[in-house]
Amino acid sequence: MDEIIRSIADNGFFFALFVFGIVILCIGLLGKIKDIIDLSLTRQFLLVGFGAVVMIVSLVGYIYSASHSNIANVPTTWVEAVSTHVVTPTIHIEIANTQPTINTIPTETEPSTSTDILPTTSTSTTIPLPPTDTPVPPTQTTTPIPPSPTPAPSTPTPTFTPVPATTVPTVQVIVDARGGWQNTNVEISTNDVLTIQYVGGDWTGNANNPGKSRGENAPWAERTEECLPVKGQDSSLVSRIGGGKSFVVGQYFSDRILSSGKLELRMNDCDQWLGDNDGAITVSILVNR
C-alpha cells in the first residue's frame, strides 16, 4: 500500500488527469438523464470520446514515468556489491634451474600481504656478438612490367572515288512554229540536269500581226484558251518529257528533271491555230547525268 501511495504522489499529475477523464466520461454517459443534465446525442459522443482519450493519455504518461523512475532509482549498493567481487589475476614468476614456471593465482581486489618469491640459484651468462662490418645489401624489388596489349587490327578506311558526271554532247535542233510536238531524239533520265538555250531565229504565232519573238512570251499575245499547252504563255517555247506535263522553256531553261523519256519541243499555240504561224528558232540542248 505504501508503494502505491508513493507512486501516486510521484505521478500526481497523471492521476489527476485520469480522474478528470473519468468525470468527463460519466457526464457524457449520464447526459440523457433529464433531472441531472440534458445533452444532445452529438455532445454525448463528444464528451464520452474526450473522456476516454484523456484517460488513455494519463495511463500512458503514468506508465512511462513509472518505468523511467524505476530505472533511475537502482540502488548504488548493487553496483558496489558487483564491483567488490571482481577478481583480477596476479602473475607470480618462479625461476628455478633456468626453467620459468608461470602460476596464475586469482586474488581479490584487497592488496595481498604476502609475496611468494622462491630464491633461485640460476646464473645467466651474456655473450656479446661480434660486430658485423659487412653491410647488408638492400633488397631489390623488381616490379613486373605488364605485357603491352596487342593492338586491335585497324579497320581500313573506305575510300570513295567520286563518279564524274557524264555530259551528253550538246545537240542543236530547229523548232518549227507550224509544227506540233517535235521529237528531239534526246533521251532524258530521272535526276538529269537539262539545259535548253536559245541560239537563233524567230517566229510568230500569227503571221497577220507584226513583230516576232525569239522563244519568249510574245508581248502582243493575248490568247488564254484552254487548248494552249501552257495557259497564258502564247508563242513561247515549251517542252515536255515522255509525253508528260508541259512546262515553259523560253529563251533559257536549266533544272533537274524528275521524269524520264524523250524530250519534245514546240511553240505554245493551240493545234487549230498552227496554220497561221510562221518562222522557226534554233536551240541547244545539254544533258548532265
Side-chain angles (χ1 to χ4, degrees), residues 248-259:
V248 177
V249 174
Q251 288 189 329
Y252 181 81
F253 171 87
S254 182
D255 200 357
R256 187 175 298 278
I257 306 301
L258 301 179
S259 58

Side-chain angles (χ1 to χ4, degrees), residues 4 22 26 34 39 50 53 61 66 70 73 78 89 104 115 146 149 180 216 220 238 249 257 267 274:
I4 296 176
I22 293 176
C26 291
K34 301 292 184 178
L39 294 175
F50 180 70
V53 171
N70 291 336
N73 295 328
W78 295 355
T104 302
T115 303
E216 74 279 13
W220 61 86
V238 295
V249 174
I257 306 301
M267 174 184 278
L274 293 177

Side-chain angles (χ1 to χ4, degrees), residues 57-71:
V57 170
S58 62
L59 285 175
V60 172
Y62 172 76
I63 294 172
Y64 178 81
S65 177
S67 63
H68 280 67
S69 62
N70 291 336
I71 294 175

Side-chain angles (χ1 to χ4, degrees), residues 9 31 40 58 61 72 97 103 130 162 172 180 198 201 203 225 227 263 276 279 284:
S40 63
S58 62
N97 298 328
N103 295 330
Q172 289 191 357
Y198 168 80
W203 59 17
E225 290 88 344
C227 60
L263 175 64
D276 61 353
S284 65

Side-chain angles (χ1 to χ4, degrees), residues 218-249:
W220 61 86
E222 297 180 355
R223 294 182 180 178
T224 58
E225 290 88 344
E226 296 294 336
C227 60
L228 291 174
V230 180
K231 186 176 180 180
Q233 296 288 329
D234 188 24
S235 299
S236 297
L237 176 64
V238 295
S239 174
R240 71 180 182 182
I241 297 172
K245 184 177 179 181
S246 304
F247 57 91
V248 177
V249 174

Side-chain angles (χ1 to χ4, degrees), residues 83-219:
S83 62
T84 55
H85 290 279
V86 175
V87 178
T88 57
T90 302
I91 301 174
H92 291 272
I93 302 175
E94 297 178 0
I95 302 175
N97 298 328
T98 67
Q99 298 294 330
T101 302
I102 301 175
N103 295 330
T104 302
I105 303 174
T107 62
E108 296 185 356
T109 55
E110 291 81 359
S112 177
T113 56
S114 63
T115 303
D116 298 332
I117 300 176
L118 299 177
T120 59
T121 58
S122 61
T123 59
S124 61
T125 304
T126 303
I127 302 175
L129 296 176
T132 58
D133 298 332
T134 305
V136 179
T139 304
Q140 296 182 356
T141 304
T142 303
T143 303
I145 301 175
S148 58
T150 304
S154 58
T155 304
T157 303
T159 304
F160 299 96
T161 303
V163 179
T166 303
T167 302
V168 178
T170 304
V171 178
Q172 289 191 357
V173 295
I174 298 174
V175 185
D176 189 356
R178 291 184 295 271
W181 286 111
Q182 300 163 49
N183 188 2
T184 62
N185 293 322
V186 175
E187 188 71 30
I188 303 298
S189 301
T190 304
N191 290 327
D192 285 352
V193 177
L194 173 63
T195 302
I196 304 175
Q197 187 172 0
Y198 168 80
V199 176
D202 53 19
W203 59 17
T204 178
N206 187 352
N208 298 323
N209 291 335
K212 293 185 177 182
S213 64
R214 297 177 177 84
E216 74 279 13
N217 184 26

